[in-house]
């Protein structure tokens, strides 16, 4: 079982968010999973230009590190997203990656897979930004198992104290994957989203050819 862990902070080893992410990975490994971690600031990922070429071709015209991370997103069993709060949201680096996922949303690529999220804030709203990241996992079709937000508020020990919770978040993600845990309210959300996406792609079938073919190959649209 492989867990993909993404750190949205540009502070690498200095990052508090990364500390919690690595603790979550430790928890996942203790349950027998392999983990692969990326500091998103080390990747060269260009902005989405909104051209729609991924809807037509199934891949972006930009030849950059997005493909590396996307490959792991498509092949890993679980995902842990993490970011510090920057101006009440995730960092621009992580948001830039999210913006490149419109085709993955139209085709609900995380269907059947699980994820969770982590955030730290200097002041407030770490929980909200962790939940925002979980919302991204869900809009991709994935199921979220939990989140962790830590508001540091000038307390240097706040992150240390949260390490056991981060480990448990990672362990629980692996257990949820293994037992194929059901979350009825999320399943309803997924069912509605899948229906909406199939309808949208079908409506745009002459333009969004790759997405139409994807759903057709899944048996959701006629040949
Ligand atoms: C550009 C920037 C914007 C920030 N915006 C917020 C904010 O809106 N709210 C907040 O509580 N903290 C904010 N912070 C503080 C960070 O969220 C906090 O220091 C975080 O723990 C840093 O995580 P890291 O060590 O993983 O990089 C901001 C920090 C920076 C550098």
């Amino acid at each position: 079982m492989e867990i993909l862990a993404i750190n949205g902070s540009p502070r690498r080893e200095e990052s508090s968010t990364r500390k919690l992410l690595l603790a979550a990975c430790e928890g996942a490994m203790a349950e027998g999973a392999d983990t692969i971690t990326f500091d998103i600031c080390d990747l060269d990922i260009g902005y989405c230009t909104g051209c729609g070429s991924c809807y037509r071709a199934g891949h972006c015209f930009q030849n950059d590190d997005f493909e590396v991370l996307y490959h792991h997103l498509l092949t890993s069993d679980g995902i842990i997203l993490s970011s510090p709060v920057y101006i009440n949201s995730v960092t621009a680096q992580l948001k830039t990656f999210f913006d490149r996922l419109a085709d993955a949303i139209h085709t609900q690529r995380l269907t059947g897979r699980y994820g969770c999220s982590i955030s730290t804030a200097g002041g407030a709203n770490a929980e909200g930004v962790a939940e925002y990241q979980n919302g991204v996992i869900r809009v991709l079709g994935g199921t979220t198992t939990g989140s962790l937000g830590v508001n540091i508020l000038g307390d240097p020990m706040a992150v240390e104290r949260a390490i056991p919770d981060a480990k448990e978040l990672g362990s629980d993600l692996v257990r949820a994957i293994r037992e194929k845990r059901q979350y009825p309210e999320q399943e309803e959300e997924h069912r509605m989203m899948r229906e909406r996406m199939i309808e949208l792609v079908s409506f745009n079938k002459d333009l969004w050819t790759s997405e139409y073919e994807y759903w057709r190959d899944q048996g959701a649209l006629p040949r």
Side-chain angles (χ1 to χ4, degrees):
M1 186 192 297
E2 185 179 276
I3 304 294
L4 167 66
I6 303 176
N7 177 28
S9 170
R11 299 200 317 132
R12 300 188 178 84
E13 282 73 20
E14 298 295 308
S15 163
S16 301
T17 316
R18 189 183 206 263
K19 254 188 210 152
L20 295 177
L21 181 65
L22 294 185
C25 288
E26 217 182 290
M29 288 187 285
E31 286 286 335
D34 293 325
T35 64
I36 179 160
T37 305
F38 289 92
D39 287 300
I40 204 152
C41 62
D42 289 333
L43 302 178
D44 171 28
I45 300 179
Y47 295 133
C48 174
T49 65
C51 70
S53 65
C54 58
Y55 307 163
R56 285 191 295 279
H59 55 83
C60 186
F61 75 91
Q62 299 181 67
N63 188 12
D64 60 14
D65 292 336
F66 170 77
E67 283 304 325
V68 176
L69 206 47
Y70 191 50
H71 166 76
H72 286 283
L73 190 78
L74 293 184
T75 56
S76 60
D77 303 282
I79 297 111
I80 312 176
L81 296 178
S82 74
S83 177
V85 174
Y86 271 19
I87 322 300
N88 252 340
S89 188
V90 294
T91 59
Q93 289 90 335
L94 188 58
K95 182 61 164 60
T96 300
F97 175 62
F98 290 167
D99 286 353
R100 295 279 293 274
L101 295 172
D103 172 54
I105 288 171
H106 291 170
T107 49
Q108 293 290 280
R109 290 298 175 108
L110 290 193
T111 298
R113 273 164 320 127
Y114 291 81
C116 60
S117 302
I118 295 170
S119 181
T120 68
N125 203 26
E127 302 85 350
V129 170
E131 247 325 294
Y132 164 72
Q133 294 173 90
N134 268 354
V136 172
I137 293 170
R138 287 198 297 273
V139 87
L140 283 157
T143 297
T144 53
T145 61
S147 63
L148 175 65
V150 177
N151 298 315
I152 295 174
L153 295 166
D155 176 359
M157 290 309 288
V159 171
E160 293 305 319
R161 274 198 306 275
I163 295 259
D165 289 343
K167 281 188 185 164
E168 176 52 24
L169 187 72
S171 294
D172 190 54
L173 173 64
V174 174
R175 291 194 294 268
I177 295 168
R178 196 170 287 132
E179 73 199 37
K180 296 186 170 43
R181 196 180 294 158
Q182 303 284 300
Y183 295 82
E185 69 293 353
Q186 289 190 47
E187 269 138 44
E188 180 56 14
E189 194 182 326
H190 289 145
R191 193 191 58 72
M192 289 188 324
M193 187 67 182
R194 184 185 153 92
E195 250 174 41
R196 243 177 56 215
M197 290 301 109
I198 291 170
E199 199 181 344
L200 181 69
V201 169
S202 185
F203 184 75
N204 289 288
K205 74 174 189 181
D206 295 333
L207 278 176
W208 299 1
T209 44
S210 157
E211 294 182 353
Y212 189 85
E213 277 164 28
Y214 177 83
W215 283 118
R216 199 193 55 196
D217 292 348
Q218 298 284 309
L221 286 172
R223 296 217 155 253

